[in-house]
Amino acid sequence: MSQLLEDKLMTYSPYFVHGQHRSSRWLITCDHATNTIPSDIGSGTLGLCKGDLKRHISYDIGAFGVALKLGKELKAPVLSTNFSRLIIDPNRGPQDPTLVMKLSDGTIIPSNKTVSKLEIENRKTRFYWPYDQQLAQLCTRQNIVIISVHSFTRQLRGQKPRPWDIGILHTSDERIARPLIKLLSDSTKFRIGDNEPYSGHLPGDAIDRHATRLGRPNALLEIRNDLIETQKCQREMATILAPFFEEALRASKI
């Protein structure tokens, strides 16, 4: 390994914490914040073209900007990844077969197609576990409420357009999600999905491990990514949503 590459790897961090000393009950996470791929992982591209690296398969477009602004509005720390979900998905359980995706929305991920168990363990050590451990540390504050910020594409290849603007995902713990869905449905123009476009329960995922199993109130926010493509749209969306999160927390009486 060259000294230059070694130096780059030594200064690289797989996650960032923003506003660590903010003191509200909220904790904001962004599991798929960037499309960063270090140069020693699949030559820095995983064998994909630049166009694919900019697609939703590589990261949650716009989610990071929303999470940052939401953190400021809610006076909450924000934990974000600094690696592409295609390296390894921190929102999956450590034994999940989709932890390292080989095919995503019709696109084969060349460097993942024949990835070895040893390489998966290497990625867990370098990316997955450091992020997971930092999340666990941030969760040690008392009475926290976790909001995980994501985005989704309006239309997957070969499928019908999704009708929702925003999805609120949840498990059987609906203490935050249920009032939030009602408030957003009643008071905004957005089409709100209740556990759409995905189910909010995936055994072993980040919310399951750090919130649901431990009785911590939580919800997962999914925003259609064409609504938050620009920094301006991201800030505006977070500014609109923040008061509804606060009102939902008051309504939950937790």
Side-chain angles (χ1 to χ4, degrees):
M1 182 183 297
S2 71
Q3 185 61 49
L4 179 60
L5 177 57
E6 187 173 357
D7 289 344
K8 286 182 178 179
L9 294 177
M10 287 179 65
T11 59
Y12 170 81
S13 174
Y15 64 84
F16 294 114
V17 181
H18 312 265
Q20 186 165 3
H21 300 295
R22 294 174 187 154
S23 58
S24 78
R25 291 183 63 186
W26 300 99
L27 170 62
I28 310 299
T29 66
C30 191
D31 297 334
H32 306 137
T34 77
N35 59 358
T36 301
I37 302 174
S39 57
D40 66 321
I41 301 292
S43 300
T45 66
L46 296 175
L48 295 169
C49 67
K50 289 182 179 179
D52 282 331
L53 292 175
K54 293 179 179 179
R55 291 175 57 215
H56 68 97
I57 64 171
S58 184
Y59 71 120
D60 280 355
I61 297 166
F64 181 42
V66 172
L68 285 179
K69 180 61 174 173
L70 198 59
K72 289 182 179 179
E73 293 291 320
L74 297 177
K75 298 180 176 59
V78 179
L79 173 64
S80 65
T81 54
N82 186 31
F83 57 90
S84 170
R85 68 198 302 169
L86 294 179
I87 291 178
I88 196 164
D89 192 336
N91 192 41
R92 295 288 189 269
Q95 304 305 320
D96 192 305
T98 64
L99 187 65
V100 176
M101 293 290 286
K102 299 180 180 181
L103 177 70
S104 183
D105 195 15
T107 298
I108 294 173
I109 318 303
S111 293
N112 292 351
K113 188 176 180 181
T114 57
V115 67
S116 67
K117 291 183 179 179
L118 182 62
E119 173 59 15
I120 292 175
E121 290 304 314
N122 173 54
R123 295 185 191 184
K124 284 182 180 179
T125 299
R126 288 183 55 188
F127 305 100
Y128 185 93
W129 290 124
Y131 178 78
D132 187 80
Q133 289 160 8
Q134 183 60 49
L135 176 54
Q137 182 177 335
L138 289 169
C139 285
T140 57
R141 293 184 300 129
Q142 290 188 344
N143 299 321
I144 67 165
V145 181
I146 302 174
I147 300 298
S148 185
V149 180
H150 297 256
S151 70
F152 65 95
T153 188
R154 185 182 184 199
Q155 185 173 13
L156 294 170
R157 289 179 174 175
Q159 298 189 26
K160 294 180 180 179
R162 291 158 161 168
W164 310 281
D165 300 313
I166 294 173
I168 303 299
L169 312 190
H170 55 87
T171 63
S172 57
D173 183 350
E174 301 179 344
R175 288 176 290 174
I176 291 296
R178 188 53 52 199
L180 188 57
I181 291 168
K182 178 172 175 50
L183 287 164
L184 290 172
S185 298
D186 290 349
S187 304
T188 74
K189 63 181 180 180
F190 299 119
R191 292 164 291 182
I192 307 301
D194 181 346
N195 264 347
E196 299 287 359
Y198 318 106
S199 167
H201 180 62
L202 189 62
D205 69 6
I207 287 293
D208 184 44
R209 297 194 313 276
H210 294 284
T212 305
R213 294 181 189 178
L214 300 172
R216 293 172 177 142
N218 65 87
L220 195 150
L221 172 66
E222 285 275 1
I223 306 171
R224 208 178 74 214
N225 60 26
D226 61 312
L227 299 177
I228 51 172
E229 288 180 322
T230 68
Q231 289 184 354
K232 181 175 182 290
C233 290
Q234 293 156 21
R235 291 192 294 267
E236 289 176 349
M237 179 65 75
T239 301
I240 290 169
L241 294 178
F244 290 103
F245 279 98
E246 295 281 37
E247 191 171 348
L249 181 56
R250 288 191 294 270
S252 71
K253 298 180 180 179
I254 54 176

